[in-house]
Amino acid sequence: MSLVTPDFGLLFWMTLIFGIVFFLLAKFGFPMITGMVDRRSERINASIAKAKEAEESLARLSEEQTKMIQEARAEQNRILKEASEARDQMIAKAKEDARSQADDIIAHARVQMEHEKEIAMRDIRRQVSLLSVEVAEKVIRKNLSTEAEQMALLDKLVDEAAHLDSKNS
Amino acid sequence: MKLTKKILLLAILFLPLKAGAVDIDMQEYLFGHVGDSYGWHITTIKGHPVSVNLPVIVRSKTSGWHCFSSRHISEGETYEGFRIAAKGEAHEGKLVEVMPSGELVKPLDISITKNVAGLMFNSLLVVLIILLAARWYRRHDATQEAPKGFAGVVEMLVTMVEDDIIKECVGKDYKRYSPYLLTAFFFIFVNNLMGIVPFFPGGANITGNIAITFVLAICTFLAVNIFGNKHYWKDILWPDVPIYLKAFPLMPAIEIIGMFTKPFSLMIRLFANILAGHVMLLGVVAVVFLTAELGAAMNAGLSVIAVFFGVFMDVLELLVAFLQAYVFTMLSSVFIGLSRQEPETE
């Protein structure tokens, strides 16, 4: 049967033709295609990895951002609190200062007033004493015109001096 | 209904029916279509055969090389001392040299026969398909874009074979074998498909010819055994079995036979599948002519069935064309993979 016995001519041609086809395709055909496909899939894989990385870093960034915002807010609160504290402190201090200054001024004024009063009193006293001396002189001049009267006065003065001595002793 | 159809089909296939109106010798009809011939018969118009004449190249032991057109010998004439051996003679259907003594001697025959011509045409087609697709990659930056259209189809097939078959079955150094396996796949696939095309230049039964599958199987055999590693040869010659199975070399003998049966099965599988497909299709088509004498109504009815069946068979053959190319490539990959296996580390 010719069907199951390989014919020599066909074997010869098949070997030759298949050899040529194999050579051509193995040299110029398939490596080109498979190489390119491999390179493309490599590139796609690399791109996917990169995209994943970018996504991750983006997520990280947004996390950081939230954290930063939170931190900023906390800082803001802290500063505000500090500022209000400082303000309160300043106001309190100013009040304190004002009060102490006012006290000082008042004290000073009081001292001054005492002083002035004293001076005035002394002045008045001197005037009064001068006036009384003058009055006394006039009175005495008028009263001591008689002997009797002079004597009476002397007595009185002695009395008074004695009284003053006993009082002092 | 289906059963009767089948019985009818079987009867047609197995009996060398001689229809009265159109005298058809079933055996000649079938073998004429699936076999080889010196000229490529296309059709017959008004009793005149229309065929492509092909060069006959023979080397006689006595008179050296001869090269002439098949036109000179197509009707059984003797030309330059050569003629096609007639029915019943030695080397029937082949070109023989008529010796002066009247003895018929078969010369060294490397004629471009119908199958060789078909093979050349289909091979050219394969090369064109792949190189045209490869040209796309040369002209484009494939890392930036994927091919569309023709190159896209080729890429799809190439990556399918490479990813599903070669990478899976061969293992780690698949790159060394992938050009051969891809070539085998596309070669078989295109030849199978062209075999289904019913008119010139298709229709030649190339992958259903044992010489073709023989060469393909030899290529796989060489790929397996030339690059087989130490572990592979140790497994064949000194496998891990009890010593009495090796000393009396039963296992090595079986393994060595296995070395040859693997490619042998590849050869027979492809050959038989494609041949059977062609024979089935031809049988279905023959129904139209064979039933001519049964009357117009019968003939018309059966012809309709035959056409439906023919369509079914053709579609089935499309599947088989792909499947056989796939199977051949896959089994070759598996055999190569087995020859590259590393011993399991314990």
Side-chain angles (χ1 to χ4, degrees):
Chain A
M1 280 271 279
S2 66
L3 269 182
V4 287
T5 49
D7 182 62
F8 174 77
L10 202 51
L11 276 181
F12 168 78
W13 285 111
M14 171 60 187
T15 312
L16 186 71
I17 291 168
F18 190 71
I20 293 168
V21 169
F22 174 55
F23 172 77
L24 285 177
L25 296 188
K27 196 152 174 64
F28 306 110
F30 292 121
M32 192 84 196
I33 297 175
T34 52
M36 280 298 195
V37 170
D38 281 355
R39 268 172 56 190
R40 189 196 307 144
S41 53
E42 257 166 42
R43 201 185 121 86
I44 289 169
N45 285 344
S47 303
I48 289 171
K50 250 185 225 161
K52 208 171 175 185
E53 220 169 82
E55 209 171 285
E56 266 167 22
S57 75
L58 211 65
R60 217 166 36 232
L61 270 176
S62 90
E63 212 170 90
E64 249 166 51
Q65 202 184 20
T66 347
K67 222 165 90 184
M68 269 166 72
I69 289 171
Q70 269 172 355
E71 269 171 15
R73 205 159 279 161
E75 182 80 7
Q76 189 192 26
N77 284 342
R78 196 179 60 78
I79 289 169
L80 278 176
K81 212 170 130 196
E82 267 179 16
S84 87
E85 265 170 19
R87 185 196 61 193
D88 289 352
Q89 235 168 32
M90 268 164 76
I91 290 170
K93 197 164 168 266
K95 268 183 187 166
E96 191 77 17
D97 279 2
R99 190 175 299 134
S100 73
Q101 224 160 26
D103 284 355
D104 273 4
I105 290 168
I106 289 167
H108 194 72
R110 197 165 283 154
V111 170
Q112 194 89 5
M113 247 158 63
E114 289 288 326
H115 191 64
E116 296 278 321
K117 205 165 107 187
E118 218 164 286
I119 290 170
M121 287 291 277
R122 209 180 290 154
D123 216 23
I124 289 167
R125 223 173 263 150
R126 209 181 60 211
Q127 296 271 345
V128 167
S129 63
L130 280 177
L131 270 176
S132 53
V133 169
E134 268 176 37
V135 167
E137 211 178 58
K138 275 177 186 160
V139 168
I140 289 168
R141 244 178 231 152
K142 190 186 139 195
N143 284 357
L144 294 182
S145 45
T146 66
E147 193 118 352
E149 277 172 355
Q150 281 175 358
M151 280 320 284
L153 179 68
L154 268 174
D155 287 344
K156 198 186 164 198
L157 279 173
V158 170
D159 262 6
E160 262 179 18
H163 194 72
L164 204 72
D165 272 356
S166 71
K167 218 181 191 179
N168 277 355
S169 61
Chain B
M1 184 64 197
K2 226 174 179 177
L3 196 70
T4 46
K5 245 188 329 196
K6 270 186 188 159
I7 289 166
L8 198 78
L9 200 75
L10 284 175
I12 288 160
L13 281 175
F14 290 113
L15 294 174
L17 287 178
K18 300 235 183 227
V22 216
D23 199 19
I24 296 177
D25 181 350
M26 221 27 213
Q27 195 154 356
E28 204 184 293
Y29 162 76
L30 285 180
F31 281 81
H33 276 87
V34 299
D36 207 352
S37 59
Y38 287 95
W40 195 329
H41 179 249
I42 297 169
T43 185
T44 305
I45 298 168
K46 289 175 187 162
H48 295 288
V50 177
S51 56
V52 175
N53 296 311
L54 298 165
V56 174
I57 306 164
V58 288
R59 185 180 181 276
S60 159
K61 278 192 184 105
T62 51
S63 55
W65 288 102
H66 292 265
C67 180
F68 50 87
S69 167
S70 67
R71 161 169 53 95
H72 302 297
I73 51 162
S74 57
E75 307 285 338
E77 321 94 302
T78 306
Y79 185 80
E80 293 183 9
F82 296 97
R83 69 179 171 85
I84 295 171
K87 239 180 161 178
E89 287 178 327
H91 315 297
E92 180 192 327
K94 296 284 172 205
L95 202 71
V96 288
E97 189 176 7
V98 187
M99 290 298 171
S101 60
E103 194 192 354
L104 299 179
V105 177
K106 193 173 186 303
L108 181 73
D109 186 353
I110 52 165
S111 307
I112 310 288
T113 57
K114 175 185 167 187
N115 278 351
V116 175
L119 183 65
M120 283 173 168
F121 180 83
N122 297 350
S123 299
L124 195 69
L125 210 61
V126 177
V127 170
L128 277 180
I129 287 170
I130 301 302
L131 291 189
L132 279 177
R135 202 176 62 156
W136 186 93
Y137 293 90
R138 213 163 277 142
R139 292 191 172 177
H140 295 73
D141 183 6
T143 56
Q144 301 296 329
E145 52 181 325
K148 290 190 187 80
F150 176 72
V153 172
V154 173
E155 185 190 304
M156 187 202 78
L157 281 171
V158 169
T159 46
M160 185 207 74
V161 173
E162 173 129 316
D163 292 347
D164 291 1
I165 305 176
I166 300 173
K167 265 183 209 168
E168 297 266 311
C169 300
V170 176
K172 69 174 163 46
D173 31 40
Y174 71 91
K175 276 214 154 71
R176 182 195 231 166
Y177 299 97
S178 109
Y180 164 64
L181 293 166
L182 282 165
T183 306
F185 176 82
F186 279 92
F187 184 85
I188 296 170
F189 189 40
V190 170
N191 276 301
N192 285 351
L193 285 180
M194 288 302 285
I196 305 172
V197 176
F199 41 80
F200 184 83
N205 178 30
I206 289 164
T207 35
N209 188 297
I210 200 148
I212 305 296
T213 60
F214 178 77
V215 172
L216 287 169
I218 288 283
C219 288
T220 296
F221 178 79
L222 292 178
V224 169
N225 290 295
I226 288 177
F227 301 113
N229 61 10
K230 229 163 77 185
H231 178 68
Y232 167 73
W233 288 108
K234 187 193 160 282
D235 240 14
I236 288 177
L237 300 172
W238 201 250
D240 283 329
V241 290
I243 190 80
Y244 56 86
L245 285 173
K246 297 189 275 195
F248 171 71
L250 184 65
M251 282 304 286
I254 291 172
E255 290 283 356
I256 287 168
I257 292 169
M259 271 169 64
F260 295 97
T261 51
K262 282 173 192 166
F264 187 78
S265 74
L266 283 180
M267 171 178 84
I268 297 296
R269 182 179 297 107
L270 181 59
F271 156 72
N273 269 289
I274 304 304
L275 181 68
H278 279 249
V279 171
M280 289 284 272
L281 257 172
L282 290 166
V284 171
V285 174
V287 170
V288 178
F289 307 108
L290 289 172
T291 54
E293 65 165 6
L294 300 176
M298 195 68 174
N299 184 227
L302 284 172
S303 294
V304 168
I305 292 170
V307 167
F308 273 117
F309 233 77
V311 170
F312 171 71
M313 288 300 302
D314 248 341
V315 175
L316 190 69
E317 281 308 297
L318 280 178
L319 176 69
V320 169
F322 178 78
L323 211 61
Q324 286 306 320
Y326 192 92
V327 165
F328 188 97
T329 314
M330 192 175 72
L331 288 176
S332 293
S333 304
V334 169
F335 297 153
I336 289 170
L338 287 175
S339 79
R340 306 288 307 171
Q341 224 170 25
E342 294 298 326
E344 287 160 29
T345 46
E346 282 164 35

